[in-house]
Amino acid sequence: MFGVRGEKEKALLAKMEELGIAEKDITEKFIRSSGKGGQHVNKVSTAVYLKHLPTGIEVKCQQERSQALNRFLARRILVAKIEATILNKRAEEEQRIAKIRRQKRKRSKRAKDKMLANKKKQSDKKQARAFKPGPDDLA
């Protein structure tokens, strides 16, 4: 299908299935490449443009002179980008849960004593600053 060895193709299709990427969700267009490659590149649409509709991720690949190989490489890049976004979302969710867990965790006796000592110190500072009328202020 893609002009690569069977095991590479199977690995790519397995990864797509694992991530829930269906071929029907991918829009594929062929564009004329630019740059090196001479007459072949100028005459044939070898560049591949893919767009994954559910996520909106777009990929363009023109690494090789072969359209079939570019189709494979573009899919591989697309799968890598989708996987990165999924892993990023999972990591953010795990961080959020860990933060809530830390907030709810009970303080140790030593940490609690230290926190209360700091509160007492702050309270003493504020009371020292408070206005205290002297004998001259009573009139």
Side-chain angles (χ1 to χ4, degrees):
M1 182 174 158
F2 297 119
V4 292
R5 286 195 323 245
E7 63 241 24
K8 284 188 175 184
E9 192 174 319
K10 285 178 187 170
L12 176 66
L13 294 173
K15 192 73 168 173
M16 286 173 69
E17 191 175 313
E18 178 187 323
L19 293 172
I21 304 168
E23 278 292 329
K24 64 179 171 60
D25 294 339
I26 298 174
T27 303
E28 184 174 43
K29 293 180 185 173
F30 301 105
I31 310 163
R32 254 196 212 131
S33 298
S34 60
K36 295 179 282 186
Q39 188 177 12
H40 176 76
V41 165
N42 297 334
K43 286 171 69 176
V44 183
S45 297
T46 54
V48 177
Y49 166 85
L50 297 178
K51 182 174 182 178
H52 187 242
L53 299 174
T55 58
I57 295 174
E58 299 176 353
V59 171
K60 183 182 177 192
C61 181
Q62 62 176 37
Q63 292 176 348
E64 301 295 328
R65 284 178 60 179
S66 161
Q67 187 185 78
L69 200 50
N70 281 334
R71 287 181 72 206
F72 171 77
L73 294 172
R75 276 175 175 71
R76 204 160 66 178
I77 295 167
L78 182 71
V79 166
K81 283 187 173 188
I82 291 171
E83 186 176 29
T85 58
I86 289 171
L87 290 176
N88 190 17
K89 285 179 184 172
R90 284 184 190 155
E92 285 175 2
E93 182 66 17
E94 287 170 6
Q95 285 177 347
R96 190 184 67 78
I97 290 169
K99 181 180 178 184
I100 291 169
R101 204 173 282 139
R102 278 194 309 273
Q103 288 172 342
K104 289 184 175 184
R105 188 173 57 207
K106 199 172 178 183
R107 283 197 178 98
S108 69
K109 176 100 172 99
R110 188 172 171 192
K112 191 174 180 182
D113 290 343
K114 187 177 177 183
M115 186 246 336
L116 290 173
N118 282 339
K119 275 188 161 186
K120 177 72 175 142
K121 187 177 172 185
Q122 191 67 23
S123 170
D124 292 344
K125 260 198 241 178
K126 279 189 144 193
Q127 281 183 343
R129 274 191 241 134
F131 175 73
K132 294 177 186 156
D136 297 337
D137 294 328
L138 299 172

